[in-house]
Amino acid sequence: MVSDPNLPLVRRLEAVGFRAWPASNVVYDGSWQVRLTGGHPGKRLNCIVPLDPSDSRDIAIRIEKAGKRFEAHGRPLLVRQTPLSPKPLIDFLAADGWESFEEVVTMTADLASMTFPDTLDHLPTQDVGRYVDADIAVHGSDPTLKPALAEIITGIKPPSGLFVIEDAAEGPLAAALCVQDNDLAGILSLAVRADRRRQGLGVEILSSALRWARMRGARTAWLQVVADNAEALALYRKMGFAEAYRYVYWRKAAA
């Protein structure tokens, strides 16, 4: 774990992350961003994200207010703790019976100096429906989420590359979303179908996305991966990614 993360870098990556995976409803309570998305249950789309370590006033009142907003949307109240979260807020959550779960590693890589392995190069598709179908298939996600996922993808403002590896007989094998925000390129939602892993498809689709971003002028790549996904972490480190910071989610513990 990075013991002393670069806070300006954290702020920048958080900002591009919000643009790369936009929630449908965003309000601010001071510097706390309250993100809600009625059609999709994803945690990144439905959480409180504090963005200033010094903003710790009226914690109990603000948590209660946010809780009512989440309840109105039918979502559980989650807090996403990054290095920008105020310590008094985290102390409050721990004392109030909340629990932390799902640690996520944010990683970056220098695109300018990256050497890509000799794999097939895939061009991005412009067909959002095709990409969404592939993403749902390789993740094994609920097909009823297709309209919500399509809405999220079409709501991304920066240029984005939708990458799919398919087989004529087997259908989608891998999918990845690359969002280029000026000199930063974010890899979102990369996945390989469970029965086709460890066959080089992850490297192949990641290389295609990063090549595309570098050709468009991106100089730094970033991505996020759950901390216990050893296989993915090994792949990303092999490709030149290194840890920048981590975050965790907090939820009220069950009675």
Side-chain angles (χ1 to χ4, degrees):
M1 178 183 292
V2 176
S3 58
D4 187 21
N6 179 336
L7 291 186
L9 176 62
V10 174
R11 290 189 180 93
R12 189 163 186 227
L13 291 176
E14 286 294 302
V16 298
F18 295 149
R19 292 192 291 271
W21 204 239
S24 61
N25 185 289
V26 176
V27 298
Y28 280 89
D29 181 351
S31 64
W32 297 9
Q33 187 179 105
V34 182
R35 298 166 58 80
L36 281 160
T37 303
H40 199 287
K43 292 184 291 297
R44 278 187 293 176
L45 299 169
N46 297 277
C47 61
I48 301 172
V49 190
L51 297 170
D52 183 347
S54 68
D55 185 1
S56 58
R57 61 178 176 77
D58 303 326
I59 290 173
I61 295 172
R62 295 163 79 181
I63 289 291
E64 182 181 4
K65 179 181 175 183
K68 292 177 180 177
R69 183 180 291 274
F70 275 70
E71 185 177 357
H73 280 74
R75 296 285 181 227
L77 180 60
L78 300 177
V79 175
R80 184 166 160 267
Q81 177 194 354
T82 76
L84 303 177
S85 300
K87 185 178 184 300
L89 168 61
I90 305 309
D91 292 341
F92 170 87
L93 297 178
D96 194 44
W98 291 58
E99 61 183 5
S100 62
F101 70 104
E102 193 172 279
E103 185 177 36
V104 178
V105 184
T106 300
M107 310 181 81
T108 60
D110 179 13
L111 266 180
S113 62
M114 188 174 286
T115 301
F116 298 113
D118 186 18
T119 61
L120 289 174
D121 193 12
H122 300 269
L123 297 176
T125 177
Q126 302 300 315
D127 188 337
V128 173
R130 175 189 170 202
Y131 169 78
V132 169
D133 284 339
D135 181 272
I136 288 174
V138 298
H139 278 97
S141 302
D142 182 352
T144 64
L145 291 176
K146 179 177 178 177
L149 184 56
E151 183 177 347
I152 293 166
I153 301 299
T154 56
I156 298 171
K157 302 300 185 199
S160 54
L162 310 175
F163 292 85
V164 176
I165 297 178
E166 296 169 305
D167 180 88
E170 298 183 67
L173 306 179
L177 165 66
C178 183
V179 179
Q180 185 204 345
D181 200 329
N182 296 309
D183 63 323
L184 294 174
I187 299 295
L188 284 296
S189 197
L190 187 152
V192 177
R193 205 173 71 193
D195 62 338
R196 292 299 300 270
R197 291 171 186 164
R198 301 181 183 87
Q199 299 176 20
L201 292 172
V203 171
E204 190 172 310
I205 198 165
L206 178 59
S207 297
S208 295
L210 294 178
R211 284 189 187 110
W212 173 83
R214 187 165 70 178
M215 286 179 60
R216 294 178 54 86
R219 298 187 58 81
T220 300
W222 65 271
L223 52 80
Q224 298 171 342
V225 56
V226 178
D228 62 5
N229 190 341
E231 188 175 345
L233 283 167
L235 166 64
Y236 298 141
R237 288 179 179 131
K238 182 179 179 181
M239 293 287 289
F241 284 85
E243 180 176 335
Y245 66 97
R246 298 189 177 203
Y247 64 83
V248 297
Y249 291 98
W250 286 80
R251 64 189 170 197
K252 198 68 180 281

